[in-house]
Amino acid sequence: MFLKFIIFISFLLAQPSYASIRICTQNLGNFGYVKTVAERTEKSEAQLDKQRLALAKRFWQAKCDLIATQEVISKNPSEAVKVLELLASSLAELTKKKYLVLSGRSNDPLSKQGYIFRADLFHLDFALSYSYYLLKPITRWEKNRYFSRGPLRIDLTEIRTGRKLTLFNFHFKSIAAFNSFDSAKFGFEYDRVQMAQGLYDIAREVENQNPTRVFILLGDRNSDNYSASSKVLAGELDLSHFQQKLCSLSKDHTASCNLKFSDQAEYISLLQQAEIGPKQLAKPFKKFKRIDDILISQQSLDQMSKSERKKISVKMLAIDKDASDHPLYYIKLD
């Protein structure tokens, strides 16, 4: 009888573990091959090698199963893939796991987005860059405008559970000029408002076609969570409010509106709900600066049970200057 019990316990231990998955987002802080990085910032090969190891250590510390990356410095998607493979190889040495990587087109000549994800946990169903997506104009005399770097979408299936995920990795226009001119003199916030509307429209269209998938938007918005672009991305405001001059930008990049609009977000900032940012602030909630974000669709939350929603947790790894000038954020889904 005791022997049978031992065999039964051994059988249970041998079964696959259905642990939670961790989805991370990290701006890499201008990481790539030294010759390409040199076109944007001064880093030696030794510094980049140190950065590679520091980034891999962060991913390992956060136990990331998937990382959405921004600022993969490369001249084309194939070079971006090679850069990501360098990081994935360093991470694999720490975790003893196998990783897949991908990247896509970008309108930025050097900065790309990408993904690193565990091959044993996810099956890649679809991938698409929205670099050629034409953004809606605010005024009728504007020339055509595109995303600074097209959102990179991937559709995944969790191998262990069959759960379907759609992720949009985004990186909006920064406040820095980088050879562009901000005629409105609002730190390019009007550009980010247009990009936020574009991503919101894309995500809503895809979600309406695939309502049972879990939809997550994550990346570098380059504006804080009180900004106009943040409100547009969440679905609390719409570009048409600015087109009709019902809203305008204030100097602090918030929206000043003549009317009260619904504050019911359709994409929920999990970081804001958890009050996570560079400075962990005690309640009551106070304003803080955080330009990265992870959002989940309200429709996805509605489809989850109360117990599933309660099990979504959000964490942050503080800035490690050897790795990046951005924190690492991640969510844990059970």
Side-chain angles (χ1 to χ4, degrees), residues 6 17 75 100 115 132 141 147 190 216 239 249 251 256 278 304 314 318:
I6 293 292
S17 173
K75 293 186 176 180
L100 299 175
Y115 292 96
Y132 295 157
W141 54 81
F147 288 101
Y190 273 120
I216 297 172
L239 184 70
L249 283 185
K251 286 299 181 181
S256 176
M304 296 178 181
V314 194

Side-chain angles (χ1 to χ4, degrees), residues 18-36:
Y18 292 97
S20 59
I21 61 167
R22 297 193 182 201
I23 297 175
C24 303
T25 182
Q26 175 72 73
N27 183 306
L28 300 182
N30 291 312
F31 178 75
Y33 291 121
V34 63
K35 287 184 179 180
T36 309

Side-chain angles (χ1 to χ4, degrees), residues 17 20-21 65 118-123 157-160:
S17 173
S20 59
I21 61 167
D65 298 312
R118 278 178 56 177
D120 61 323
L121 295 184
F122 301 102
H123 179 270
T157 299
E158 275 186 65
I159 294 172
R160 297 179 301 191

Side-chain angles (χ1 to χ4, degrees), residues 89-322:
S89 178
S90 297
L91 180 58
E93 290 179 10
L94 296 172
T95 64
K96 310 306 178 188
K97 304 292 183 183
K98 183 179 179 182
Y99 295 87
L100 299 175
V101 306
L102 65 88
S103 186
R105 294 190 308 267
S106 174
N107 294 320
D108 189 306
L110 291 177
S111 183
K112 311 290 187 292
Q113 284 121 266
Y115 292 96
I116 302 171
F117 58 92
R118 278 178 56 177
D120 61 323
L121 295 184
F122 301 102
H123 179 270
L124 178 63
D125 302 319
F126 182 75
L128 180 65
S129 168
Y130 289 88
S131 289
Y132 295 157
Y133 183 88
L134 188 61
L135 300 174
K136 294 177 181 176
I138 295 178
T139 59
R140 62 182 180 181
W141 54 81
E142 277 185 57
K143 64 180 181 179
N144 289 345
R145 189 186 299 273
Y146 301 88
F147 288 101
S148 297
R149 310 151 194 101
L152 184 58
R153 166 191 167 192
I154 56 171
D155 294 353
L156 299 166
T157 299
E158 275 186 65
I159 294 172
R160 297 179 301 191
T161 65
R163 178 165 49 186
K164 305 287 186 180
L165 303 168
T166 293
L167 277 63
F168 289 92
N169 179 355
F170 63 91
H171 189 185
F172 293 166
K173 179 76 180 75
S174 71
I175 293 175
F178 290 123
N179 300 318
S180 53
F181 177 64
D182 179 25
S183 57
K185 294 182 172 48
F186 280 98
F188 298 100
E189 180 62 10
Y190 273 120
D191 298 54
R192 289 188 291 275
V193 165
Q194 288 175 276
M195 293 175 196
Q197 185 67 56
L199 178 53
Y200 172 85
D201 290 343
I202 290 167
R204 288 298 294 158
E205 181 179 358
V206 175
E207 189 171 15
N208 288 337
Q209 295 169 355
N210 305 273
T212 60
R213 305 184 71 91
V214 177
F215 276 76
I216 297 172
L217 317 179
L218 71 175
D220 183 356
R221 192 181 51 241
N222 267 312
S223 62
D224 70 26
N225 52 295
Y226 284 84
S227 66
S229 53
S230 172
K231 302 301 181 185
V232 171
L233 183 58
E236 297 175 31
L237 289 177
D238 191 88
L239 184 70
S240 63
H241 298 148
F242 295 90
Q243 292 170 329
Q244 298 167 20
K245 298 186 178 180
L246 299 174
C247 295
S248 61
L249 283 185
S250 299
K251 286 299 181 181
D252 62 357
H253 299 171
T254 59
S256 176
C257 300
N258 298 328
L259 299 174
K260 171 78 173 172
F261 297 103
S262 171
D263 57 1
Q264 182 62 46
E266 294 184 56
Y267 290 97
I268 312 299
S269 170
L270 295 173
L271 300 183
Q272 186 173 349
Q273 280 202 338
E275 300 184 8
I276 288 180
K279 294 181 180 179
Q280 301 289 339
L281 299 176
K283 293 182 179 180
F285 180 80
K286 297 179 181 179
K287 183 174 180 178
F288 57 80
K289 182 99 175 156
R290 172 178 43 74
I291 64 175
D292 304 280
D293 213 345
I294 303 177
L295 305 99
I296 189 168
S297 80
Q298 182 63 57
Q299 186 167 303
S300 296
L301 287 175
D302 290 342
Q303 291 177 356
M304 296 178 181
S305 65
K306 288 184 179 179
S307 62
E308 285 177 319
R309 291 197 295 270
K310 288 180 180 178
K311 289 178 182 177
I312 299 175
S313 57
V314 194
K315 300 290 182 182
M316 179 192 81
L317 261 63
I319 292 173
D320 174 358
K321 291 184 179 179
D322 288 338

Side-chain angles (χ1 to χ4, degrees), residues 31 42-52 322:
F31 178 75
E42 293 183 3
K43 287 184 183 179
S44 68
E45 191 165 354
Q47 287 175 315
L48 287 167
D49 197 50
K50 185 178 181 180
Q51 184 181 8
R52 171 180 60 83
D322 288 338

